[in-house]
Short mmCIF file of all heavy atoms in Angstrom, two decimals:
data_model
loop_
_atom_site.label_atom_id
_atom_site.label_comp_id
_atom_site.label_asym_id
_atom_site.label_seq_id
_atom_site.Cartn_x
_atom_site.Cartn_y
_atom_site.Cartn_z
N GLY A 414 109.55 106.55 111.26
CA GLY A 414 108.85 107.74 111.35
C GLY A 414 109.65 108.79 112.11
O GLY A 414 110.51 108.41 112.98
N ASP A 415 109.39 110.02 111.87
CA ASP A 415 109.99 111.14 112.62
C ASP A 415 108.91 112.22 112.81
O ASP A 415 108.56 112.96 111.88
CB ASP A 415 111.18 111.67 111.87
CG ASP A 415 111.91 112.83 112.58
OD1 ASP A 415 111.57 113.08 113.83
OD2 ASP A 415 112.78 113.43 112.02
N GLU A 416 108.38 112.31 114.03
CA GLU A 416 107.27 113.29 114.42
C GLU A 416 106.11 113.09 113.39
O GLU A 416 105.62 114.09 112.85
CB GLU A 416 107.83 114.71 114.30
CG GLU A 416 108.92 114.98 115.36
CD GLU A 416 109.37 116.42 115.37
OE1 GLU A 416 108.94 117.16 114.56
OE2 GLU A 416 110.15 116.75 116.29
N GLY A 417 105.71 111.86 113.21
CA GLY A 417 104.54 111.59 112.44
C GLY A 417 104.68 111.57 110.94
O GLY A 417 103.62 111.57 110.21
N ALA A 418 105.83 111.68 110.47
CA ALA A 418 106.11 111.62 109.01
C ALA A 418 107.39 110.84 108.74
O ALA A 418 108.15 110.57 109.60
CB ALA A 418 106.24 113.00 108.46
N SER A 419 107.45 110.40 107.49
CA SER A 419 108.73 109.72 107.04
C SER A 419 109.87 110.72 106.95
O SER A 419 109.76 111.73 106.33
CB SER A 419 108.52 109.07 105.65
OG SER A 419 107.37 108.17 105.71
N PRO A 420 111.03 110.40 107.51
CA PRO A 420 112.20 111.36 107.40
C PRO A 420 112.69 111.37 105.93
O PRO A 420 112.63 110.34 105.26
CB PRO A 420 113.19 110.69 108.34
CG PRO A 420 112.81 109.25 108.40
CD PRO A 420 111.33 109.17 108.35
N SER A 421 113.19 112.46 105.54
CA SER A 421 113.52 112.71 104.20
C SER A 421 114.68 111.77 103.69
O SER A 421 114.74 111.41 102.53
CB SER A 421 113.91 114.12 103.91
OG SER A 421 114.97 114.55 104.74
N TRP A 422 115.57 111.35 104.68
CA TRP A 422 116.76 110.64 104.30
C TRP A 422 116.40 109.22 103.72
O TRP A 422 117.14 108.63 103.03
CB TRP A 422 117.74 110.53 105.44
CG TRP A 422 117.22 109.84 106.66
CD1 TRP A 422 116.79 110.46 107.80
CD2 TRP A 422 117.20 108.42 106.99
NE1 TRP A 422 116.39 109.53 108.77
CE2 TRP A 422 116.70 108.22 108.25
CE3 TRP A 422 117.52 107.29 106.21
CZ2 TRP A 422 116.47 106.99 108.81
CZ3 TRP A 422 117.31 106.03 106.82
CH2 TRP A 422 116.80 105.88 108.09
N ILE A 423 115.20 108.67 104.11
CA ILE A 423 114.89 107.40 103.61
C ILE A 423 114.52 107.35 102.12
O ILE A 423 114.52 106.26 101.46
CB ILE A 423 113.72 106.70 104.38
CG1 ILE A 423 112.41 107.30 104.07
CG2 ILE A 423 114.01 106.75 105.85
CD1 ILE A 423 111.24 106.57 104.67
N PHE A 424 114.40 108.58 101.54
CA PHE A 424 114.13 108.69 100.08
C PHE A 424 115.36 109.19 99.35
O PHE A 424 115.30 109.53 98.21
CB PHE A 424 112.96 109.64 99.86
CG PHE A 424 111.80 109.26 100.66
CD1 PHE A 424 111.20 110.15 101.59
CD2 PHE A 424 111.18 108.04 100.43
CE1 PHE A 424 110.08 109.76 102.36
CE2 PHE A 424 110.06 107.63 101.25
CZ PHE A 424 109.52 108.52 102.16
N ASP A 425 116.53 109.23 100.04
CA ASP A 425 117.72 109.73 99.45
C ASP A 425 118.09 108.64 98.39
O ASP A 425 118.18 107.45 98.69
CB ASP A 425 118.84 109.84 100.42
CG ASP A 425 120.13 110.20 99.82
OD1 ASP A 425 120.33 111.41 99.47
OD2 ASP A 425 121.02 109.36 99.71
N PRO A 426 118.45 109.03 97.09
CA PRO A 426 118.76 108.05 96.10
C PRO A 426 119.89 107.07 96.47
O PRO A 426 119.82 105.94 96.18
CB PRO A 426 119.11 108.99 94.85
CG PRO A 426 118.31 110.19 95.15
CD PRO A 426 118.38 110.44 96.62
N GLU A 427 120.88 107.64 97.17
CA GLU A 427 122.03 106.72 97.53
C GLU A 427 121.57 105.70 98.44
O GLU A 427 122.03 104.57 98.48
CB GLU A 427 123.20 107.62 97.98
CG GLU A 427 124.51 106.74 98.23
CD GLU A 427 125.70 107.59 98.68
OE1 GLU A 427 125.55 108.85 98.65
OE2 GLU A 427 126.66 106.94 98.99
N PHE A 428 120.86 106.21 99.51
CA PHE A 428 120.37 105.15 100.44
C PHE A 428 119.44 104.12 99.89
O PHE A 428 119.62 102.95 100.14
CB PHE A 428 119.56 105.91 101.57
CG PHE A 428 118.89 104.96 102.59
CD1 PHE A 428 119.67 104.30 103.57
CD2 PHE A 428 117.56 104.77 102.58
CE1 PHE A 428 119.13 103.52 104.49
CE2 PHE A 428 116.98 103.91 103.48
CZ PHE A 428 117.71 103.26 104.37
N LEU A 429 118.58 104.54 98.97
CA LEU A 429 117.70 103.53 98.27
C LEU A 429 118.53 102.57 97.43
O LEU A 429 118.25 101.40 97.33
CB LEU A 429 116.72 104.30 97.43
CG LEU A 429 115.63 105.15 98.19
CD1 LEU A 429 114.90 106.00 97.22
CD2 LEU A 429 114.70 104.17 98.89
N GLU A 430 119.57 103.04 96.81
CA GLU A 430 120.46 102.19 96.00
C GLU A 430 121.16 101.16 96.95
O GLU A 430 121.30 99.98 96.58
CB GLU A 430 121.54 103.00 95.27
CG GLU A 430 120.96 103.85 94.13
CD GLU A 430 120.62 102.98 92.92
OE1 GLU A 430 120.92 101.74 92.92
OE2 GLU A 430 120.06 103.54 91.99
N GLN A 431 121.53 101.62 98.17
CA GLN A 431 122.15 100.71 99.09
C GLN A 431 121.07 99.65 99.53
O GLN A 431 121.42 98.41 99.73
CB GLN A 431 122.70 101.44 100.28
CG GLN A 431 123.89 102.31 99.97
CD GLN A 431 125.08 101.47 99.46
OE1 GLN A 431 125.36 100.43 100.02
NE2 GLN A 431 125.75 102.01 98.50
N CYS A 432 119.85 100.01 99.74
CA CYS A 432 118.82 99.09 100.16
C CYS A 432 118.68 98.08 99.01
O CYS A 432 118.59 96.81 99.31
CB CYS A 432 117.50 99.84 100.37
SG CYS A 432 117.34 100.74 101.86
N ARG A 433 118.73 98.54 97.74
CA ARG A 433 118.49 97.54 96.65
C ARG A 433 119.70 96.62 96.63
O ARG A 433 119.55 95.41 96.27
CB ARG A 433 118.44 98.39 95.33
CG ARG A 433 118.21 97.49 94.11
CD ARG A 433 117.96 98.23 92.89
NE ARG A 433 117.73 97.31 91.74
CZ ARG A 433 117.54 97.76 90.44
NH1 ARG A 433 117.37 99.02 90.23
NH2 ARG A 433 117.31 96.84 89.59
N ARG A 434 120.96 97.10 96.95
CA ARG A 434 122.07 96.18 96.93
C ARG A 434 121.93 95.05 97.99
O ARG A 434 122.52 93.99 97.78
CB ARG A 434 123.32 97.03 97.26
CG ARG A 434 124.67 96.32 97.24
CD ARG A 434 125.82 97.20 97.62
NE ARG A 434 125.54 97.78 98.98
CZ ARG A 434 125.84 97.15 100.08
NH1 ARG A 434 126.26 95.87 100.12
NH2 ARG A 434 125.60 97.77 101.26
N CYS A 435 121.13 95.31 98.98
CA CYS A 435 120.98 94.28 100.07
C CYS A 435 119.90 93.24 99.74
O CYS A 435 119.67 92.39 100.51
CB CYS A 435 120.66 94.94 101.40
SG CYS A 435 121.95 96.02 102.05
N LEU A 436 119.26 93.42 98.58
CA LEU A 436 118.23 92.49 98.16
C LEU A 436 118.68 91.41 97.32
O LEU A 436 119.62 91.58 96.56
CB LEU A 436 117.08 93.24 97.41
CG LEU A 436 116.25 94.19 98.22
CD1 LEU A 436 115.38 95.03 97.30
CD2 LEU A 436 115.29 93.41 99.23
N ARG A 437 118.03 90.23 97.43
CA ARG A 437 118.31 89.19 96.45
C ARG A 437 117.71 89.63 95.11
O ARG A 437 116.97 90.52 95.03
CB ARG A 437 117.67 87.85 96.99
CG ARG A 437 118.48 87.34 98.16
CD ARG A 437 117.84 86.03 98.75
NE ARG A 437 118.71 85.61 99.86
CZ ARG A 437 118.29 84.77 100.86
NH1 ARG A 437 116.99 84.43 100.88
NH2 ARG A 437 119.11 84.39 101.80
N ASP A 438 118.08 88.82 94.05
CA ASP A 438 117.70 89.22 92.68
C ASP A 438 116.18 89.36 92.60
O ASP A 438 115.62 90.22 91.92
CB ASP A 438 118.15 88.19 91.73
CG ASP A 438 119.63 88.23 91.52
OD1 ASP A 438 120.26 89.27 91.94
OD2 ASP A 438 120.28 87.28 91.02
N ASP A 439 115.40 88.47 93.30
CA ASP A 439 113.90 88.57 93.21
C ASP A 439 113.29 89.15 94.49
O ASP A 439 112.20 89.03 94.80
CB ASP A 439 113.30 87.18 92.97
CG ASP A 439 113.77 86.15 94.07
OD1 ASP A 439 114.46 86.49 94.96
OD2 ASP A 439 113.28 84.99 93.94
N GLY A 440 114.15 89.98 95.23
CA GLY A 440 113.65 90.56 96.49
C GLY A 440 112.91 91.91 96.22
O GLY A 440 112.90 92.46 95.17
N ALA A 441 112.34 92.41 97.34
CA ALA A 441 111.59 93.63 97.25
C ALA A 441 111.78 94.49 98.55
O ALA A 441 111.92 93.91 99.62
CB ALA A 441 110.10 93.37 97.06
N LEU A 442 111.78 95.79 98.32
CA LEU A 442 111.80 96.78 99.38
C LEU A 442 110.39 97.22 99.61
O LEU A 442 109.67 97.65 98.65
CB LEU A 442 112.72 97.90 98.99
CG LEU A 442 112.64 99.13 99.95
CD1 LEU A 442 113.27 98.81 101.27
CD2 LEU A 442 113.28 100.41 99.35
N VAL A 443 109.92 97.18 100.83
CA VAL A 443 108.64 97.74 101.21
C VAL A 443 108.81 98.93 102.07
O VAL A 443 109.35 98.87 103.19
CB VAL A 443 107.78 96.65 101.99
CG1 VAL A 443 106.45 97.16 102.36
CG2 VAL A 443 107.65 95.36 101.18
N THR A 444 108.38 100.12 101.58
CA THR A 444 108.54 101.36 102.32
C THR A 444 107.22 101.88 102.70
O THR A 444 106.29 102.02 101.91
CB THR A 444 109.21 102.37 101.39
OG1 THR A 444 110.42 101.90 100.89
CG2 THR A 444 109.53 103.67 102.16
N ASN A 445 107.07 102.20 104.01
CA ASN A 445 105.84 102.82 104.53
C ASN A 445 106.00 104.37 104.46
O ASN A 445 106.71 104.93 105.29
CB ASN A 445 105.57 102.36 105.95
CG ASN A 445 104.35 103.00 106.54
OD1 ASN A 445 103.49 103.49 105.91
ND2 ASN A 445 104.33 103.01 107.98
N ILE A 446 105.36 104.93 103.52
CA ILE A 446 105.46 106.43 103.23
C ILE A 446 104.39 107.18 104.05
O ILE A 446 103.17 106.81 103.85
CB ILE A 446 105.39 106.77 101.75
CG1 ILE A 446 106.45 106.06 100.97
CG2 ILE A 446 105.48 108.29 101.60
CD1 ILE A 446 106.50 106.48 99.49
N ILE A 447 104.77 108.17 104.83
CA ILE A 447 103.85 109.02 105.49
C ILE A 447 104.30 110.46 105.16
O ILE A 447 105.33 110.88 105.68
CB ILE A 447 103.85 108.75 107.05
CG1 ILE A 447 103.70 107.37 107.37
CG2 ILE A 447 102.74 109.59 107.68
CD1 ILE A 447 103.89 107.06 108.93
N GLN A 448 103.54 111.12 104.33
CA GLN A 448 103.89 112.49 103.96
C GLN A 448 102.61 113.34 104.17
O GLN A 448 101.48 112.86 104.01
CB GLN A 448 104.34 112.56 102.53
CG GLN A 448 105.60 111.78 102.33
CD GLN A 448 106.86 112.44 102.81
OE1 GLN A 448 107.63 113.09 102.21
NE2 GLN A 448 107.16 112.29 104.13
N GLU A 449 102.90 114.69 104.40
CA GLU A 449 101.79 115.60 104.73
C GLU A 449 101.05 116.06 103.46
O GLU A 449 99.89 116.28 103.42
CB GLU A 449 102.31 116.83 105.43
CG GLU A 449 102.69 116.49 106.89
CD GLU A 449 101.54 115.98 107.73
OE1 GLU A 449 100.40 116.47 107.47
OE2 GLU A 449 101.81 115.22 108.68
N THR A 450 101.79 116.15 102.30
CA THR A 450 101.16 116.76 101.09
C THR A 450 101.37 115.79 99.94
O THR A 450 102.31 114.94 99.93
CB THR A 450 101.85 118.13 100.76
OG1 THR A 450 103.18 117.85 100.33
CG2 THR A 450 101.83 119.07 101.91
N ALA A 451 100.53 115.98 98.93
CA ALA A 451 100.63 115.20 97.66
C ALA A 451 102.00 115.43 96.99
O ALA A 451 102.54 114.48 96.38
CB ALA A 451 99.49 115.50 96.73
N GLU A 452 102.48 116.66 97.10
CA GLU A 452 103.81 116.96 96.43
C GLU A 452 104.93 116.27 97.11
O GLU A 452 105.84 115.71 96.43
CB GLU A 452 103.98 118.51 96.47
CG GLU A 452 103.05 119.28 95.58
CD GLU A 452 101.69 119.50 96.25
OE1 GLU A 452 101.47 119.12 97.44
OE2 GLU A 452 100.75 119.94 95.48
N GLN A 453 104.88 116.17 98.44
CA GLN A 453 105.95 115.42 99.17
C GLN A 453 105.89 113.97 98.84
O GLN A 453 106.88 113.32 98.65
CB GLN A 453 105.80 115.67 100.64
CG GLN A 453 106.14 117.11 101.08
CD GLN A 453 105.74 117.27 102.55
OE1 GLN A 453 104.84 116.70 103.17
NE2 GLN A 453 106.49 118.24 103.23
N PHE A 454 104.63 113.46 98.79
CA PHE A 454 104.54 112.03 98.44
C PHE A 454 105.05 111.76 97.02
O PHE A 454 105.80 110.77 96.77
CB PHE A 454 103.09 111.54 98.56
CG PHE A 454 102.86 110.14 98.11
CD1 PHE A 454 103.08 109.02 98.95
CD2 PHE A 454 102.42 109.87 96.82
CE1 PHE A 454 102.94 107.76 98.56
CE2 PHE A 454 102.25 108.56 96.36
CZ PHE A 454 102.52 107.48 97.29
N ALA A 455 104.71 112.64 96.10
CA ALA A 455 105.13 112.45 94.73
C ALA A 455 106.67 112.43 94.65
O ALA A 455 107.29 111.65 93.84
CB ALA A 455 104.54 113.50 93.83
N ALA A 456 107.31 113.33 95.42
CA ALA A 456 108.76 113.42 95.34
C ALA A 456 109.37 112.13 95.89
O ALA A 456 110.34 111.62 95.36
CB ALA A 456 109.24 114.71 96.03
N ALA A 457 108.80 111.64 97.04
CA ALA A 457 109.35 110.41 97.60
C ALA A 457 109.19 109.26 96.67
O ALA A 457 110.10 108.45 96.45
CB ALA A 457 108.68 110.20 98.86
N LEU A 458 108.00 109.08 96.07
CA LEU A 458 107.78 108.00 95.14
C LEU A 458 108.69 108.14 93.95
O LEU A 458 109.14 107.12 93.46
CB LEU A 458 106.27 108.03 94.73
CG LEU A 458 105.88 106.93 93.73
CD1 LEU A 458 106.07 105.53 94.34
CD2 LEU A 458 104.46 107.08 93.40
N TRP A 459 108.89 109.32 93.44
CA TRP A 459 109.76 109.47 92.28
C TRP A 459 111.14 108.89 92.55
O TRP A 459 111.70 108.13 91.74
CB TRP A 459 109.87 110.94 91.84
CG TRP A 459 110.91 111.21 90.86
CD1 TRP A 459 112.13 111.77 91.03
CD2 TRP A 459 110.74 110.97 89.45
NE1 TRP A 459 112.79 111.92 89.85
CE2 TRP A 459 111.98 111.40 88.86
CE3 TRP A 459 109.78 110.43 88.64
CZ2 TRP A 459 112.19 111.32 87.50
CZ3 TRP A 459 109.98 110.41 87.29
CH2 TRP A 459 111.17 110.74 86.71
N ASN A 460 111.71 109.22 93.76
CA ASN A 460 113.04 108.75 94.06
C ASN A 460 113.09 107.16 94.16
O ASN A 460 114.02 106.49 93.70
CB ASN A 460 113.54 109.34 95.34
CG ASN A 460 114.03 110.76 95.21
OD1 ASN A 460 113.99 111.32 94.06
ND2 ASN A 460 114.44 111.36 96.28
#
Side-chain angles (χ1 to χ4, degrees):
D415 182 11
E416 296 184 353
S419 301
S421 60
W422 61 261
I423 71 174
F424 309 119
D425 178 76
E427 186 176 352
F428 174 73
L429 292 168
E430 290 287 352
Q431 291 297 318
C432 287
R433 184 173 179 179
R434 182 183 57 81
C435 296
L436 289 170
R437 290 176 176 158
D438 290 345
D439 56 0
L442 171 70
V443 180
T444 306
N445 178 20
I446 299 182
I447 311 172
Q448 297 288 260
E449 290 297 328
T450 68
E452 291 77 12
Q453 290 172 332
F454 175 82
L458 179 60
W459 171 257
N460 283 359

